[in-house]
Amino acid sequence: MRRYRVAVIPGDGVGKEVVPAGVEVLQAVAERDGGFEWTFDRFDWGSDLYRATGRLMPPDGLDQIRGSDAIYFGAVGSPDVPDHISLWGLRLAICQPFDQYANVRPARVLPGIVSPLRAVSGPELDWVIVRENSEGEYAGAGGRVHRGLPSEVATDVTIMTRPGVERIFRFAFALARSRPRKLLTIVTKSNAQRHAMVMWDEIGAEIPREFAEVAWDRMLVDAMTMRMTLRPGSLDTIVASNLHADILSDLAAALAGSLGIAPTANLNPERRFPSMFEPIHGSAFDIAGKGIANPIGSFWTGAMMLEHLGEKAAADRLMRSIERATADSSLHTPDLGGTATTRAVTDAVIAAIRGENR
């Protein structure tokens, strides 16, 4: 029997709803498969802990989860906690020390979901965005001086290193090579950012020599938004910097139908540290506690976690069950234009898992 220990961090807002739903679904997958089992260790870190202690996670938090096989994360952020404190106090406080440098965000139109793009019926939009997740615009370099004075200065400095850029390009090219179209688009802004992004481009032109099977092109980030909306079928795998991919992946999720369905994997590909899996949508406090959050992003994230752990058959079974649920418009939550509840979608996916033939 294969056993996996997962650190579960629901976090804030709807994370407290969709992550427990995801745990139920993952339990059903393990029971259906019969070849592996889970141990879920819950950690109630986030804004509630911050209000009580001034910290979003304990000082020894990383040591508590370091031995996990994976981390299942919900969301972080609360209206009464500044966003830069919540982000740097929990999510980035895990991603950066655990060197989860490859952020992978698939986006495609699932059965039954309608893209806002009128020319897209489904197969035209099937992308994977690879986000450099450890440095770049979110490296944390910078500061503020002369606070409150007329001469106050604030800086955020983009940090790109050759090793950091090389490894994300190699990861992205290898991922592109594994997909049927073997196509990669490199996103840049080197016309304006003439140091870090020019180095990004230069390295981006070197790495393809190692991946002769992969066709590639390069696109300025502003032009990329137009290409994603007007020519979605021209794209497949996309690699971009920390900031650019963060923005483009939200656009991709919206074009695929909703942020509520979109998953994320924060990977340490060398597996020296546990990787972390989370839905894109954030804490969504406007709907928290109403029981209407879309759990599909959490479930799809769970499928990515299964695949990372080597349980490919179970991951495929979960994705088929997710697609059966999205194909039924009566199971669409409000973000998809429906009236379904988190509970109804969860029950339907579990029923599909249990009823599927092996």
Side-chain angles (χ1 to χ4, degrees):
M1 176 73 71
R2 300 178 299 279
R3 294 177 172 84
Y4 304 108
R5 181 173 290 276
V6 175
V8 177
I9 308 173
D12 297 330
V14 298
K16 297 178 181 180
E17 302 169 50
V18 300
V19 165
V23 169
E24 288 185 55
V25 164
L26 290 168
Q27 289 280 29
V29 172
E31 292 166 6
R32 185 71 182 87
D33 183 277
F36 67 94
E37 62 182 24
W38 303 104
T39 297
F40 293 107
D41 300 317
R42 177 166 172 146
F43 298 89
D44 289 317
W45 301 343
S47 296
D48 289 343
L49 184 65
Y50 178 79
R51 294 184 199 96
T53 68
R55 301 182 65 102
L56 283 105
M57 61 187 289
D60 65 343
L62 292 177
D63 289 335
Q64 292 185 40
I65 62 177
R66 189 183 303 272
S68 303
D69 294 300
I71 304 162
Y72 194 35
F73 186 83
V76 64
S78 176
D80 60 344
V81 179
D83 288 341
H84 67 283
I85 290 177
S86 58
L87 180 66
W88 283 93
L90 187 55
R91 184 185 175 277
L92 291 182
I94 296 171
C95 286
Q96 291 193 349
F98 283 171
D99 203 20
Q100 296 166 352
Y101 65 84
N103 179 281
V104 180
R105 298 189 169 191
R108 62 183 175 92
V109 182
L110 296 177
I113 294 178
V114 178
S115 167
L117 295 177
R118 63 188 179 198
V120 168
S121 61
E124 305 89 345
L125 197 163
D126 185 356
W127 307 328
V128 179
I129 297 178
V130 176
R131 170 187 178 187
E132 199 292 311
N133 207 37
S134 64
E135 50 183 42
E137 303 88 349
Y138 297 175
R144 291 174 67 180
V145 296
H146 310 309
R147 288 175 181 254
L149 299 176
S151 59
E152 184 172 2
V153 176
T155 62
D156 278 293
V157 181
T158 296
I159 303 294
M160 288 191 181
T161 65
R162 175 168 281 274
V165 176
E166 286 180 345
R167 68 182 183 176
I168 199 62
F169 277 131
R170 287 194 174 96
F171 180 91
F173 270 94
L175 179 59
R177 182 174 58 189
S178 73
R179 287 169 59 84
R181 295 181 65 189
K182 296 179 171 45
L183 172 65
L184 179 71
T185 298
I186 296 172
V187 176
T188 186
K189 192 57 180 171
S190 52
N191 57 343
Q193 295 173 295
R194 58 182 181 164
H195 303 300
M197 274 284 148
V198 169
M199 185 182 77
W200 171 273
D201 286 355
E202 291 172 354
I203 296 172
E206 296 168 5
I207 301 300
R209 300 168 194 163
E210 304 172 21
F211 299 88
E213 316 94 309
V214 177
W216 69 281
D217 59 11
R218 185 164 55 223
M219 179 73 52
L220 292 174
V221 64
D222 41 348
M224 188 66 172
T225 61
M226 180 178 66
R227 183 173 170 185
M228 289 169 70
T229 53
L230 297 182
R231 296 192 294 127
S234 71
L235 296 164
D236 187 77
T237 309
I238 300 161
V239 62
S241 72
N242 215 329
L243 175 62
H244 293 164
D246 191 8
I247 296 168
L248 293 178
S249 59
D250 276 13
L251 172 61
L255 296 178
S258 170
L259 263 68
I261 63 174
T264 306
N266 301 285
L267 301 178
N268 174 248
E270 294 77 20
R271 300 174 188 260
R272 293 185 297 114
F273 302 98
S275 295
M276 183 163 70
F277 301 83
E278 59 175 322
I280 278 181
H281 52 61
S283 52
F285 261 85
D286 57 325
I287 62 169
K290 297 180 180 180
I292 58 172
N294 192 338
I296 293 296
S298 176
F299 301 163
W300 193 349
T301 293
M304 295 182 75
M305 183 168 68
L306 282 164
E307 187 160 1
H308 176 74
L309 294 172
E311 300 293 345
K312 180 69 164 58
D316 291 345
R317 177 176 290 117
L318 176 52
M319 281 308 303
R320 289 192 297 268
S321 300
I322 289 168
E323 291 173 354
R324 287 194 184 95
T326 62
D328 183 349
S329 61
S330 72
L331 294 171
H332 287 186
T333 43
D335 60 302
L336 295 173
T339 59
T341 63
T342 308
R343 183 73 261 162
V345 178
T346 303
D347 289 344
V349 172
I350 290 173
I353 292 166
R354 290 174 175 165
E356 184 179 85
N357 295 326
R358 291 187 182 273

